[in-house]
């Protein structure tokens, strides 16, 4: 019983939307409100998140349209970028739900909190591992590029690309299933006793249910946080991604000058995505620190300011995808420019026929 009570006490401190601890032993006679520093940190993170949601959704949606209209849709890395952009958009919108909770627009309860956590954590897990798979695919492509570079336009190579793309699609489906399995406890609202917004730290806090059993044993929230939230979601994929990028950078310097431009540009895209993925890592260390640190040594103001700021910075990881692709790839920029030209000509034609319905017009 003492062991189960310790799990509940420690889990209570960290089962928040930001996976940070909270002390619930406030006096009922005190009016609880955040300090000015916490409000500054909250609004800073909120402002960064809102900008990321707006510009990130625009950039990722544009990337999806451009990939569909370009040759990228015929290559495996184009398929990876497509899924990354889709899950980035979903992740950005899940953060919008968090601030709707804060504004009391969406009611806060165990059901709505569970739905939020599912989309927030699942999309993050999938996006991080998609980047790892993209890096591994680029390493394999470079390894066999010299052998196949003289046959890139052959019919056999085209068929090979189609087969490879089909295999990549099945691999992505397998990843989605594995991510669902690893995240399946997040789908269970009963593991929370109740949910509320902490009035001091402005966190969405989920209090664990001490009577919730996972199989024959009491649900161990701490173990799940360490294995899933920290290792599987953040540390392992980001570490693997950094290692793959170092390998790619080494191979990139040794590629011959006649190397395919698409290969080089796709590697630079991955470099950009990796740089912003590093923003995810600090929060994992905050989680570990909160698990093993005595609550009396935790400064509410410091932990709140850091967490809310990192919340906003982490969103840059999902907002930058489309812009990183356009900055790094000439083909995508060219297709985007052609898309703008097509839209401009279409609007010109519509405007002309609206003003002069009987006059022929040629663009």
């Amino acid at each position: 019983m003492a062991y189960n009570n310790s799990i509940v006490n420690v889990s209570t401190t960290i089962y928040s939307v930001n996976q940070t601890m909270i002390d619930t032993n406030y006096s009922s006679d005190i009016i609880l409100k955040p300090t000015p520093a916490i409000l500054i940190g909250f609004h800073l993170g909120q402002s960064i998140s809102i900008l990321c949601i707006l510009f990130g959704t625009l950039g990722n949606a544009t990337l999806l349209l451009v990939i569909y209209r370009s040759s990228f849709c015929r290559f495996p890395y184009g398929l990876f970028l497509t899924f990354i952009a889709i899950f980035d958009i979903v992740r950005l919108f899940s953060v919008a739900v968090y601030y709707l909770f804060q504004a009391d627009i969406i009611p806060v309860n165990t059901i709505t909190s569970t739905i939020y956590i599912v989309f927030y954590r699942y999309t993050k897990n999938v996006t991080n591992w998609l980047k790892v798979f993209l890096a591994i695919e680029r390493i394999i492509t470079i390894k066999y590029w010299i052998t196949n570079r003289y046959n890139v336009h052959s019919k056999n190579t085209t068929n090979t690309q189609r087969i490879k793309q089909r295999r990549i699609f099945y691999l992505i489906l397998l990843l989605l299933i594995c991510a669902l399995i690893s995240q399946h406890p997040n789908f269970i609202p009963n593991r929370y006793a109740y949910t509320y917004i902490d009035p001091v730290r402005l966190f969405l806090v989920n209090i664990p249910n001490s009577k919730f059993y996972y199989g024959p044993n009491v649900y161990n929230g701490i173990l799940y946080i360490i294995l899933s939230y920290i290792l599987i979601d953040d540390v392992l994929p980001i570490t693997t991604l950094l290692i793959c990028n170092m390998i790619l950078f080494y191979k990139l310097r040794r590629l011959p000058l006649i190397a395919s431009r698409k290969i080089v540009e796709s590697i630079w895209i991955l470099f950009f995505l990796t740089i912003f993925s590093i923003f995810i890592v600090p929060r994992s260390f905050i989680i570990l620190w909160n698990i093993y640190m005595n609550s009396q040594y935790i400064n509410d103001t410091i932990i709140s300011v850091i967490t809310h700021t990192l919340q906003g910075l982490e969103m840059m990881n999902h907002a930058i995808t489309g812009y990183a692709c356009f900055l790094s790839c000439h083909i995508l920029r060219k297709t985007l420019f052609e898309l703008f030209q097509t839209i401009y000509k279409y609007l010109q034609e519509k405007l002309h026929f609206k003003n002069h319905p009987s006059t022929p017009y040629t663009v």
Side-chain angles (χ1 to χ4, degrees):
M1 180 62 69
Y3 172 73
N4 292 340
N5 288 337
S6 65
I7 291 178
V8 173
N9 292 337
V10 180
S11 298
T12 300
T13 64
I14 55 180
Y15 253 89
S16 67
V17 64
N18 293 295
Q19 314 309 327
T20 53
M21 54 82 61
I22 179 170
D23 182 6
T24 58
N25 297 323
Y26 294 117
S27 173
S28 58
D29 298 329
I30 300 176
I31 299 177
L32 303 177
K33 61 180 180 179
T35 64
I38 293 178
L39 285 175
I40 292 174
F42 173 79
H43 289 300
L44 176 62
Q46 182 184 49
S47 301
I48 297 174
S49 297
I50 291 175
L51 290 175
C52 288
I53 292 170
L54 295 176
F55 291 99
T57 302
L58 176 62
N60 289 320
T62 305
L63 176 63
L64 292 173
L65 182 59
V66 170
I67 288 178
Y68 175 76
R69 293 174 60 92
S70 69
S71 60
F72 264 63
C73 64
R74 299 194 297 269
F75 293 93
Y77 58 85
L79 189 60
F80 277 123
L81 291 176
T82 298
F83 275 90
I84 290 174
I86 291 173
F87 280 92
D88 278 342
I89 292 174
V90 177
R91 180 82 193 281
L92 290 170
F93 276 100
S94 71
V95 178
V97 174
Y98 168 70
Y99 290 108
L100 292 177
F101 282 145
Q102 296 283 356
D104 202 23
I105 296 176
I106 296 179
V108 179
N109 53 57
T110 56
I111 301 297
T112 56
S113 177
T114 299
I115 295 174
Y116 163 73
I117 291 176
V118 165
F119 283 98
Y120 185 84
R121 301 300 311 187
Y122 180 73
T123 52
K124 179 181 180 181
N125 179 289
V126 171
T127 301
N128 288 341
W129 283 107
L130 281 174
K131 293 175 183 179
V132 173
F133 288 171
L134 175 60
I136 295 174
E137 190 273 337
R138 290 292 84 192
I139 293 175
I140 296 174
T141 299
I142 292 177
K143 180 178 179 180
Y144 293 101
W145 178 83
I146 295 179
T147 304
N148 301 318
R149 69 180 185 273
Y150 297 113
N151 301 313
V152 292
H153 299 296
S154 66
K155 182 178 180 180
N156 183 56
T157 301
T158 303
N159 293 332
T160 302
Q161 288 288 347
R162 291 176 180 174
I163 294 174
K164 187 177 179 181
Q165 190 176 40
R166 190 180 300 116
R167 291 175 179 173
I168 293 296
F169 181 75
Y170 292 146
L171 179 63
I172 293 175
L173 288 181
L174 179 62
L175 170 63
L176 298 180
I177 295 173
C178 291
L180 282 174
I181 295 174
S182 70
Q183 298 286 322
H184 75 275
N186 289 332
F187 292 82
I188 308 174
N190 293 335
R191 68 190 181 113
Y192 301 131
Y194 60 95
T195 301
Y196 68 98
I197 299 291
D198 179 79
V200 175
R201 298 185 176 184
L202 302 179
F203 293 158
L204 176 65
V205 182
N206 298 290
I207 303 301
N209 184 359
S210 60
K211 299 180 180 180
F212 176 69
Y213 281 77
Y214 189 77
N217 303 314
V218 176
Y219 176 73
N220 191 334
I222 298 176
L223 180 61
Y224 179 70
I225 287 175
I226 294 175
L227 292 179
S228 180
Y229 288 6
I230 299 177
L231 294 179
I232 298 178
D233 289 8
D234 296 343
V235 176
L236 187 57
I238 300 304
T239 302
T240 307
L241 189 59
L242 290 173
I243 295 173
C244 291
N245 272 269
M246 287 189 289
I247 296 174
L248 283 170
F249 184 73
Y250 174 79
K251 290 182 175 294
L252 181 62
R253 294 180 61 184
R254 293 178 175 272
L255 276 178
L257 295 177
I258 60 173
S260 172
R261 186 174 187 175
K262 287 184 179 180
I263 292 179
V264 177
E265 290 180 341
S266 63
I267 293 175
W268 280 111
I269 290 174
L270 187 62
F271 284 164
F272 272 107
L273 298 182
T274 302
I275 291 173
F276 286 92
S277 295
I278 298 176
F279 286 134
I280 297 175
V281 177
R283 291 182 55 176
S284 296
F285 290 101
I286 291 178
I287 298 170
L288 285 174
W289 185 67
N290 287 330
I291 290 177
Y292 296 105
M293 178 63 68
N294 192 319
S295 61
Q296 64 180 344
Y297 300 115
I298 302 294
N299 187 297
D300 286 347
T301 300
I302 294 177
I303 198 67
S304 300
V305 171
I306 293 176
T307 304
H308 286 302
T309 304
L310 289 176
Q311 166 100 347
L313 293 177
E314 187 177 324
M315 290 305 101
M316 295 179 64
N317 174 50
H318 304 280
I320 200 65
T321 302
Y323 303 101
C325 292
F326 292 126
L327 288 173
S328 306
C329 183
H330 171 74
I331 296 176
L332 290 177
R333 290 196 301 271
K334 180 180 178 182
T335 307
L336 179 63
F337 180 72
E338 293 174 351
L339 177 63
F340 285 153
Q341 283 186 319
T342 302
I343 295 175
Y344 177 73
K345 291 179 180 179
Y346 174 79
L347 294 177
Q348 266 193 326
E349 185 176 347
K350 283 291 184 181
L351 182 62
H352 177 81
F353 278 109
K354 182 179 180 180
N355 296 331
H356 310 282
S358 60
T359 304
Y361 179 75
T362 303
V363 179

